[in-house]
Amino acid sequence: LSTKQCEGCDLTNAGLVMANLAGANLKGADLSRANLSRANLMGADLSGANLTGASLFGANLTGANLTGANLNAADLRDTYLTQANLVGASLTNANLLGAIGIPSYT
């Protein structure tokens, strides 16, 4: 958490509720089933990350790079997605209820 550098690391089932990961490098990380509820991921690089079944309820993903990320079955309720890059992201069965700033191309 202190370095915010975790490219390709295994954070499966991690408890990161309210974590401050603004600007973090989580490129290609395995965050499947991780709890990132209300986490600050503003400007984070989550490109190619596996977020299958992750809870991102109320998380701040403003300006985050989610290019090619797997968000299948992720809980994205009430998330902030303004200026987030979701090109090529998989959102099958993701819950986007109340999400703010969903890109029009998703």
Side-chain angles (χ1 to χ4, degrees):
L1 284 173
S2 61
T3 66
K4 298 182 184 177
Q5 297 297 313
C6 200
E7 186 172 339
C9 64
D10 184 359
L11 293 170
T12 306
N13 296 313
L16 296 166
V17 176
M18 297 182 72
N20 182 7
L21 295 167
N25 179 5
L26 296 166
K27 186 176 186 175
D30 187 352
L31 289 152
S32 53
R33 297 177 309 281
N35 190 348
L36 291 153
S37 296
R38 305 216 183 274
N40 181 3
L41 292 156
M42 185 180 225
D45 186 354
L46 291 154
S47 56
N50 181 5
L51 291 148
T52 304
S55 176
L56 291 152
F57 177 80
N60 184 355
L61 291 161
T62 301
N65 182 3
L66 292 153
T67 304
N70 183 343
L71 292 156
N72 293 337
D75 182 1
L76 295 163
R77 290 174 297 149
D78 298 334
T79 56
Y80 295 90
L81 294 166
T82 306
Q83 297 178 343
N85 186 347
L86 290 161
V87 173
S90 180
L91 292 157
T92 304
N93 294 323
N95 188 342
L96 291 158
L97 186 68
I100 297 166
I102 301 170
S104 59
Y105 56 82
T106 51

